[in-house]
Amino acid sequence: MLVLTRKTGESIMVGDQIELKVLSVEGDQVKLGIVAPKSIKVHRSEVYQAIQQQNKEALNVSQSLLEQFSKKTF
């Protein structure tokens, strides 16, 4: 893990297209601004983990349920 120290208003570049900017520090909270292309998804880690879990659960759909959907005409 790379650990860097930044002050309010300073930033960090990740590659050529992603900038992490420290907007403010208040007590134990740090507000970050993230500048990235729209094609790059940015999530809080707990949201990202929830998405990954939902994707895993979606893969566990039973074969019979999938067959039921394929037989229906809409």
Side-chain angles (χ1 to χ4, degrees), residues 11-25:
S11 62
I12 297 167
M13 293 299 298
V14 179
D16 295 331
Q17 299 181 333
I18 302 171
E19 179 181 12
L20 302 173
K21 188 169 187 175
V22 178
L23 301 178
S24 67
V25 179

Side-chain angles (χ1 to χ4, degrees), residues 12-67:
I12 297 167
M13 293 299 298
V14 179
D16 295 331
Q17 299 181 333
I18 302 171
E19 179 181 12
L20 302 173
K21 188 169 187 175
V22 178
L23 301 178
S24 67
V25 179
E26 299 171 10
D28 64 347
Q29 288 191 333
V30 177
K31 285 188 181 179
L32 297 175
I34 302 168
V35 180
K38 290 185 178 185
S39 61
I40 297 177
K41 296 177 183 176
V42 178
H43 301 287
R44 297 186 323 251
S45 61
E46 62 272 16
V47 171
Y48 176 79
Q49 290 171 0
I51 292 168
Q52 295 301 310
Q53 183 61 35
Q54 289 175 354
N55 288 343
K56 286 179 186 176
E57 290 170 6
L59 290 173
N60 292 329
V61 175
S62 71
Q63 185 64 32
S64 62
L65 181 60
L66 291 174
E67 288 172 1

